Amino acid sequence: MATYRSVFDAAELRAQLNDAGINTKFMASIWKYVLQNPGCELDEIPDLPSSAYRLLRTKFKPFTSTVHSVFHSTDGVTTKLLIKLQNGAFVEAVIMTYDTRLGKYGGKPRLGGPRSTLCISSQVGCKMGCKFCATGTMGFKNNLTSGEIVEQLVHASLLTNIRNVVFMGMGEPLNNYTALVEAIRVMTGSPFQLSPKRITVSTVGIIHAINKLYSDLPGLNLAVSLHAPVQEICCQIMPSARAFPLEKLMTALQTYQKNSQQKIFIEYIMLDGMNDEEQHAHRLGKLLETFQVVVNLIPFNPIGSSSQFRTSSDQKVSDFQKILRGTYNIRTTVRKQMGQDISGACGQLVVNLPDKRTRENTSLLTDIEDLRI
């Protein structure tokens, strides 16, 4: 059986068009037509050179993935898509709805209204093995192609208007670097036209990739999973820290910030008794005091009764936040827990089939990706 490539796989489409002597300017119009006509056949796209139709028909498909299931959380603001890939594997993408009016800008209420952020997967499984993360329990299966990454945005866009994209789903994005860069370049070009400022790439700290990220993708947001302020604790909860020591990671982040002149998001998962004491807050504050950062404290989301970690109390999270804000003047937010009942919350993405839920409570939330930084 022939394996087709996604029409959104930019490098493959560009190479095939070039080989056939067809102008690559048609790529954007091909994508636009498929976006507007998701059930179409590629033969239906108007105004292409005649030689393009045979090429598209024999090498490409409008979609190589399908939405297998859609789950709505009872929080009314979270929707999880279970997406089946061409090879039979599954990945998950999560849509989160927020309200820009709940934020403030310059001390004044902001204009706007509800809009959506899409959390995208970059791999099937993950090889990083973080102890608190469900995806890590799957092990690593395979990288997604750039087309499969972009298709998640297309599938989600058919349900709602996507304003922000965060690479915080399954997998370590910087371990699939070439496909990641290519997918983001498609997302920021025609017809998607997402601003790089609306795209956030989250990493456990793949140093060699961080070192080239700014030159390849200037302007996007970088988020770093820095879940402990000392190397010893990092290694206990994130095995990858042995390969990417904290000291070397901080040096790479200093260089990245010097080049990008942008604030860096720091993600810090709160694990009871492990990394959530006042001493940890002070050590984290000292580690970050020379940086321009926004720290996002993430309450641990359980991944089953066998989990070795417990969620920090609200009081501990609040105390931790006060130390970073008050003593070190570091902007610190607490991530709102969303989508736990459909296993769509941070750290819970692992392919399974939760019970279908109905939408009830429809309160809207502010979004860290919408912070003015």
Side-chain angles (χ1 to χ4, degrees), residues 166-358:
V166 296
F167 284 83
M168 298 181 182
M170 298 169 67
E172 162 54 57
L174 297 190
N175 274 346
N176 190 12
Y177 189 84
T178 301
L180 172 81
V181 170
E182 192 176 283
I184 291 176
R185 286 175 177 164
V186 172
M187 292 175 183
T188 54
S190 178
F192 295 95
Q193 301 289 10
L194 277 178
S195 166
K197 295 177 184 176
R198 302 272 182 221
I199 298 176
T200 301
V201 173
S202 175
T203 176
V204 299
I206 312 297
I207 292 171
H208 60 272
I210 291 172
N211 287 339
K212 56 184 178 177
L213 186 63
Y214 174 71
S215 60
D216 287 334
L217 292 169
L220 58 69
N221 296 308
L222 176 65
V224 180
S225 296
L226 189 72
H227 300 306
V230 292
Q231 177 69 8
E232 182 185 354
I233 303 174
C234 284
C235 290
Q236 288 177 38
I237 60 179
M238 300 169 66
S240 62
R242 293 183 179 88
F244 306 105
L246 189 58
E247 189 177 339
K248 290 184 178 178
L249 173 59
M250 300 314 289
T251 300
L253 293 180
Q254 265 181 332
T255 303
Y256 179 89
Q257 186 150 78
K258 182 180 176 184
N259 290 333
S260 70
Q261 295 296 305
Q262 288 175 257
K263 290 192 178 182
I264 296 171
F265 288 109
I266 300 294
E267 299 167 304
Y268 193 97
I269 196 161
M270 299 292 288
L271 302 170
D272 185 46
M274 175 69 76
N275 66 353
D276 65 345
E277 308 292 345
E278 289 188 8
Q279 56 158 323
H280 300 126
H282 283 292
R283 295 188 82 157
L284 183 63
K286 289 186 174 75
L287 186 69
L288 297 174
E289 61 186 350
T290 61
F291 288 84
Q292 294 294 312
V293 295
V294 176
V295 175
N296 190 213
L297 303 178
I298 307 171
F300 170 62
N301 290 305
I303 54 173
S305 57
S306 60
S307 176
Q308 66 189 90
F309 300 116
R310 295 187 308 276
T311 306
S312 301
S313 68
D314 289 346
Q315 186 61 53
K316 271 191 170 178
V317 175
S318 177
D319 291 345
F320 203 99
Q321 181 183 35
K322 284 174 183 171
I323 290 170
L324 292 178
R325 278 180 166 175
T327 305
Y328 300 95
N329 196 31
I330 293 174
R331 187 169 186 183
T332 308
T333 62
V334 178
R335 182 171 297 182
K336 174 75 176 179
Q337 292 173 300
M338 302 171 67
Q340 280 188 316
D341 60 320
I342 55 170
S343 296
C346 182
Q348 287 188 319
L349 295 190
V350 61
V351 171
N352 54 25
L353 295 172
D355 294 332
K356 212 157 198 175
R357 309 284 180 144
T358 56

Side-chain angles (χ1 to χ4, degrees), residues 64-116:
T64 57
S65 64
T66 56
V67 177
H68 179 275
S69 313
V70 178
F71 304 99
H72 298 295
S73 173
T74 53
D75 63 19
V77 295
T78 310
T79 300
K80 183 165 76 170
L81 309 183
L82 184 64
I83 296 172
K84 186 175 184 180
L85 307 178
Q86 187 169 223
N87 66 0
F90 290 87
V91 292
E92 296 177 333
V94 180
I95 301 169
M96 298 158 287
T97 304
Y98 303 90
D99 193 340
T100 56
R101 294 166 298 189
L102 298 179
K104 289 191 174 181
Y105 182 56
K108 298 178 181 178
R110 294 177 56 185
L111 302 174
R115 82 304 172 271
S116 296

